[in-house]
Amino acid sequence: TGALGLRTAYTTSATRWNDTTCTDGQSSYEHEQQSCTRPLDTVAPVPTLGTLPRWGNLPSAGPLTVAVSGTDAGTAPSALNYRLRWRTTTAGGAGAFSSYAYGEWTMPDRGRLEGIPLPPGRRVCVSLQARDMAFNVRTTGYERCFDVPYDSTGQTFDVSSRWTIVSGSTWSGFAVASTTTKGQSILGSSKRYVREIGVVATTCPTCGALAVYVGATKIGTLSLVRSTTTTRALVTLPRLSQRRYGTVSFVVSSSSGRLVRVDSVAVSGV
């Protein structure tokens, strides 16, 4: 310990007073580099939020994590704390965003944070806050957004009569809809804006296909035929040149006998 019993840390050039109360009455943590010999730290860190996937809650994705980093003049980057901030709105909807919700302040695990919610049928926009040891906070001036697919057996989308509903913990909403009958449909309960659309479904060599409609207009066909079997695969149409508005429906267009198994419906109006 140094003078007056205060804890000191030594550098090659001078004594740095830290982990104590400085002569200005402020904690050493309120100063640049957490040293009483430095000016007060009044500049907030600059956070950087990495990219997020286009769709949330995709097969085999595991917990959604995002890369975070930051720079700060007065605090070493390794000592910065971060928290995620997010707001949501209806995927394909025209409603207002929710109020912001916040995660806990924490230090990243190998440069990444998790804890982003994945509510079905919602568009989620995420920003990042960084806090230095002087408790200066700054938020990114941008958001990273993604859409979470709707449950195909939920309230927003429903199936026609000749689908079989199978329960299981691996499925979105703990249920999946299957049919082998041509003409069976999955119908939205209300109108949506559509710019990108698809399904999370089983693909296989003998699987079928779904015609996709917005209102009465057919905008394409989703083939579920692949050379190998995948239980949950994302299959989407090419991004539309302009967004459409109407009730979304999927109609089995393949011949009867071919499997069509749909776990969730991906819709984005952006």
Side-chain angles (χ1 to χ4, degrees), residues 143-204:
E143 295 178 313
R144 307 290 193 194
C145 300
F146 60 91
D147 293 281
V148 183
Y150 290 90
D151 179 12
S152 65
T153 60
Q155 296 180 344
T156 305
F157 283 87
D158 200 7
V159 298
S160 54
S161 59
R162 299 190 67 180
W163 292 78
T164 300
I165 309 300
V166 177
S167 299
S169 60
T170 59
W171 307 112
S172 174
F174 304 103
V176 66
S178 299
T179 188
T180 56
T181 304
K182 183 177 181 178
Q184 294 301 295
S185 63
I186 301 173
L187 180 64
S189 60
S190 59
K191 293 181 178 180
R192 297 272 180 259
Y193 286 101
V194 177
R195 191 75 186 272
E196 292 186 74
I197 191 167
V199 293
V200 175
T202 297
T203 57
C204 66

Side-chain angles (χ1 to χ4, degrees), residues 6-42 72-76 79 132-134:
L6 298 178
R7 187 180 304 172
T8 61
Y10 292 95
T11 67
T12 57
S13 59
T15 299
R16 294 176 56 205
W17 297 94
N18 63 10
D19 195 19
T20 187
T21 300
C22 305
T23 56
D24 61 4
Q26 303 295 321
S27 167
S28 57
Y29 292 108
E30 303 291 324
H31 291 250
E32 293 178 359
Q33 300 177 17
Q34 296 75 63
S35 170
C36 291
T37 65
R38 302 286 296 177
L40 284 172
D41 183 358
T42 60
D72 186 65
T75 299
D132 62 19
M133 296 188 73

Side-chain angles (χ1 to χ4, degrees), residues 49-70:
L49 180 65
T51 59
L52 286 166
R54 176 65 192 84
W55 302 96
N57 198 28
L58 291 185
S60 305
L64 183 60
T65 67
V66 62
V68 300
S69 60

Side-chain angles (χ1 to χ4, degrees), residues 156-158 163 182-199 209-222 236-237 240 242-254 265-268:
T156 305
F157 283 87
D158 200 7
W163 292 78
K182 183 177 181 178
Q184 294 301 295
S185 63
I186 301 173
L187 180 64
S189 60
S190 59
K191 293 181 178 180
R192 297 272 180 259
Y193 286 101
V194 177
R195 191 75 186 272
E196 292 186 74
I197 191 167
V199 293
L210 289 161
V212 185
Y213 293 83
V214 179
T217 303
K218 180 181 176 180
I219 62 171
T221 298
L222 297 168
T236 61
L237 292 178
L240 301 179
Q242 60 184 19
R243 71 176 184 173
R244 295 177 176 271
Y245 182 69
T247 301
V248 172
S249 60
F250 301 83
V251 180
V252 177
S253 58
S254 49
V265 173
V267 178
S268 175

